[in-house]
Amino acid sequence: METILIVDDEKNYLVVLEALLGAEGYEIVTANDAKAALATVREADLDLVITDMKMPGMSGMDLLEECKKTKPELPVIMMTAFGTIEMAVEAMKKHAYDYIEKPFENEQIKQTIKKALENYRLVKENRLLTEALSDRYRYGNMIGKSKPVLKVYDLIDKVSRSKASVLITGSSGTGKELVAKAIHYQGPRKDRPFISINCGALTETLLESELFGHEKGAFTGAVAMKKGRFELADEGTLFLDEVGEMPPSLQVKLLRVLQEMEFERVGGTRTIKVDVRVLSASNRNINVDVSNGAFREDLYYRLNVIHIDVPSLQERIDDIPLLVRHFIKKFQNNGKEKKIELSPEVWKAFYSYPWPGNIRELENVIERAMVLNSGETITIDVLPEQLTGAKTEFDVERFIPPNVPLQKALEEIEERLVRRALAQSNNVQAHAAKNLGITKSLIQHKMKKYKIIV
Ligand SMILES: Nc1ncnc2c1ncn2[C@@H]1O[C@H](COP(=O)(O)OP(=O)(O)OP(=O)(O)O)[C@@H](O)[C@H]1O
Ligand SMILES: [Mg+2]
């Protein structure tokens, strides 16, 4: 049921309108001065406000302004007495939805209200849709809650609000592009474009015209003017992927754009001003290129105002069960929502394999397994060779840093095993305990000890 607030200092009008609109099935709230009305606007979940213009104390116009400040979308209809029509025009300028003249025709006021409510419903639906869309991009659909990833999320939250340049590093397939998108879609630029360009995939001349655009006739083949990515990303974000591959001549140009936020198209003389947030990524250590002169140091510092290092899958091995479940869902043919399990050998292989291709490799392995597998359990024979041939012994050197006291090392391993057992059993404590060969109360004790919350 939709709720309408009626505001008038004349009690008669309140009574008449309440009866008229109540009969239409709306829920009616009334106030006989603007102050009380404002309190209701702030607290209640209203769909429409109808207010008289002239009231002692705070006027209807003031109320309109306050409403627009607190709830800009909430429609407000003004009631004007004879002779205050200029004020009604003024109110429309201040974004009143409509006005009605007193005394009013019942049919007319009912129609106006119906239209206002319909319009508001559309506005709300629209907002919910956009919210749902941007929610989908919260951390850009990133899965994982291991400690190193929580740190990345935290950094994303912090940097998304600022305009500072961020350099995202990490091995291939760790999710650098996903991090860049998360920063963009969580920040104030989210309704503006996210434009990306791979600096390693294009020749120098092509890269230049892709970045800065070109004028008609700038070079053979330039049959028309073309805007560059910097122009397309205006007020939004430009993601420079594999920035370490950028040739030196373009590094100079890029530095100038980052400093001045202006440039000319290739073959052009007009200076173009833009407002672009720059994020960049590299799977190589650019530090090395800086020290051997292949990458300009000044540019490196411009790009690397904030540094986010995305952990490899090996460093976030605790996330494997979550990622596996996520990808199984992704590659499950719609409609066939069978529960797919992994055989114990598959889990073992997943935990001992070093995953040089990181999350992308895991994703590919699951996609392949889903195609080749026929039953409800993914078995070892549908895994690619590199996984089945993997060494399955526990490699102490890899997991435990040197000189860790034995007790601490054992606790570290214990914590991981408990977390893993819980994740693999969908957080059903009894199952996890059974798989670990311990009692349910013991697993609960361990969860408390390691502060594991499921
Ligand atoms: N945390 C995550 N949750 C779910 N999927 C992920 C996650 N991280 C990465 N992926 C997926 O893994 C694949 C690789 O991610 P992405 O392209 O962002 O990696 P990258 O670091 O940019 O790799 P490259 O260095 O090869 O360009 C994508 O399909 C992405 O959706
Ligand atoms: Mg990438």
Side-chain angles (χ1 to χ4, degrees):
M1 200 193 326
E2 283 156 315
T3 310
I4 303 176
L5 169 66
I6 307 169
V7 194
D8 203 321
D9 58 318
E10 285 173 65
K11 200 149 194 304
N12 279 346
Y13 270 105
L14 289 182
V15 174
V16 170
L17 274 171
E18 186 167 10
L20 178 71
L21 301 177
E24 291 294 299
Y26 303 121
E27 186 181 345
I28 307 298
V29 198
T30 58
N32 50 23
D33 68 70
K35 261 217 164 92
L38 193 58
T40 312
V41 168
R42 292 206 172 108
E43 283 154 29
D45 196 7
L46 300 173
D47 297 288
L48 176 66
V49 178
I50 305 175
T51 178
D52 187 26
M53 194 78 88
K54 275 195 171 156
M55 289 181 286
M58 192 177 172
S59 73
M61 195 76 88
D62 296 335
L63 175 61
L64 169 67
E65 277 177 37
E66 288 305 316
C67 282
K68 290 291 147 188
K69 271 189 221 156
T70 34
K71 299 199 172 157
E73 290 167 352
L74 180 67
V76 180
I77 294 178
M78 314 299 289
M79 291 188 286
T80 63
F82 173 76
T84 54
I85 203 80
E86 315 79 49
M87 280 169 78
V89 174
E90 190 60 33
M92 294 302 285
K93 280 191 199 151
K94 292 185 170 151
H95 305 290
Y97 177 78
D98 205 346
Y99 64 89
I100 33 188
E101 277 177 85
K102 280 178 179 176
F104 43 75
E105 295 278 330
N106 286 358
E107 264 327 294
Q108 184 205 355
I109 193 166
K110 277 197 263 179
Q111 280 307 317
T112 309
I113 286 168
K114 205 167 149 220
K115 263 200 340 226
L117 289 170
E118 260 169 27
N119 187 55
Y120 185 46
R121 215 176 300 135
L122 283 177
V123 169
K124 276 193 292 189
E125 272 169 21
N126 224 323
R127 178 163 44 81
L128 285 178
L129 253 170
T130 11
E131 271 173 14
L133 270 175
S134 58
D135 207 41
R136 258 194 16 222
Y137 275 107
R138 197 165 157 73
Y139 305 124
N141 248 348
M142 289 173 73
I143 304 293
K145 48 179 189 179
S146 59
K147 274 185 205 158
V149 172
L150 294 182
K151 258 202 226 152
V152 172
Y153 292 161
D154 192 41
L155 272 171
I156 291 175
D157 275 340
K158 286 193 179 120
V159 304
S160 56
R161 275 164 282 172
S162 88
K163 201 195 155 185
S165 305
V166 182
L167 177 64
I168 306 161
T169 57
S171 312
S172 164
T174 46
K176 295 184 291 298
E177 185 157 352
L178 231 47
V179 170
K181 282 189 179 152
I183 293 173
H184 172 78
Y185 284 105
Q186 249 165 259
R189 293 172 176 252
K190 65 174 188 296
D191 297 320
R192 305 292 303 161
F194 174 90
I195 304 282
S196 71
I197 182 161
N198 188 327
C199 307
L202 302 168
T203 62
E204 185 168 341
T205 26
L206 252 178
L207 181 59
E208 180 173 20
S209 80
E210 278 299 324
L211 278 172
F212 308 111
H214 59 71
E215 296 293 349
K216 185 178 172 179
F219 45 84
T220 350
V223 287
M225 181 278 277
K226 191 181 162 193
K227 285 186 181 178
R229 307 276 166 113
F230 261 104
E231 248 180 292
L232 297 174
D234 194 20
E235 292 178 8
T237 303
L238 180 64
F239 176 53
L240 303 169
D241 206 358
E242 294 187 40
V243 74
E245 307 299 319
M246 186 164 288
S249 65
L250 288 185
Q251 291 179 24
V252 188
K253 250 192 130 169
L254 178 61
L255 181 66
R256 180 187 153 217
V257 182
L258 294 183
Q259 276 164 349
E260 325 271 335
M261 278 291 142
E262 57 182 43
F263 58 92
E264 291 85 36
R265 294 190 193 120
V266 176
T269 48
R270 190 163 64 88
T271 300
I272 294 162
K273 278 195 158 299
V274 288
D275 165 24
V276 171
R277 195 221 180 134
V278 174
L279 305 174
S280 44
S282 170
N283 54 25
R284 278 212 331 240
N285 189 349
I286 307 190
N287 255 324
V288 177
D289 303 304
V290 171
S291 52
N292 67 26
F295 201 88
R296 289 183 69 104
E297 190 172 12
D298 43 10
L299 177 60
Y300 176 68
Y301 287 119
R302 272 273 159 193
L303 294 172
N304 192 21
V305 176
I306 291 158
H307 177 206
I308 298 184
D309 188 38
V310 188
S312 66
L313 184 51
Q314 217 172 44
E315 291 167 270
R316 50 184 295 194
I317 208 148
D318 303 344
D319 283 332
I320 284 187
L322 279 178
L323 287 163
V324 165
R325 210 160 295 132
H326 169 73
F327 291 132
I328 287 181
K329 236 197 202 143
K330 177 171 170 185
F331 296 117
Q332 216 158 19
N333 291 335
N334 285 340
K336 274 201 280 171
E337 289 282 307
K338 282 186 301 184
K339 202 161 160 37
I340 305 279
E341 292 293 342
L342 308 192
S343 78
E345 294 82 39
V346 173
W347 280 120
K348 205 168 158 193
F350 277 8
Y351 280 112
S352 45
Y353 182 61
W355 298 108
N358 295 293
I359 299 188
R360 181 180 294 113
E361 188 180 9
L362 175 64
E363 183 173 2
N364 293 343
V365 166
I366 298 287
E367 182 175 17
R368 181 189 136 112
M370 296 288 287
V371 172
L372 298 179
N373 203 71
S374 41
E376 291 186 5
T377 303
I378 294 179
T379 47
I380 194 93
D381 52 304
V382 296
L383 298 191
E385 225 168 88
Q386 76 263 25
L387 266 127
T388 49
K391 198 165 105 210
T392 49
E393 280 161 43
F394 180 72
D395 185 351
V396 173
E397 297 305 325
R398 223 172 67 201
F399 290 106
I400 308 292
N403 304 325
V404 172
L406 181 61
Q407 187 57 35
K408 195 157 181 300
L410 292 175
E411 282 175 355
E412 182 115 331
I413 295 169
E414 185 174 65
E415 179 182 344
R416 275 172 177 250
L417 292 177
V418 173
R419 283 185 188 277
R420 183 173 82 180
L422 284 163
Q424 280 177 9
S425 57
N426 280 325
N427 294 329
V428 179
Q429 293 171 14
H431 282 183
K434 188 165 162 257
N435 290 342
L436 288 171
I438 59 176
T439 61
K440 195 173 156 198
S441 68
L442 189 53
I443 200 172
Q444 282 167 344
H445 173 76
K446 307 258 179 228
M447 287 168 69
K448 226 184 198 162
K449 176 173 172 189
Y450 299 119
K451 301 193 177 65
I452 302 174
I453 302 155
V454 292

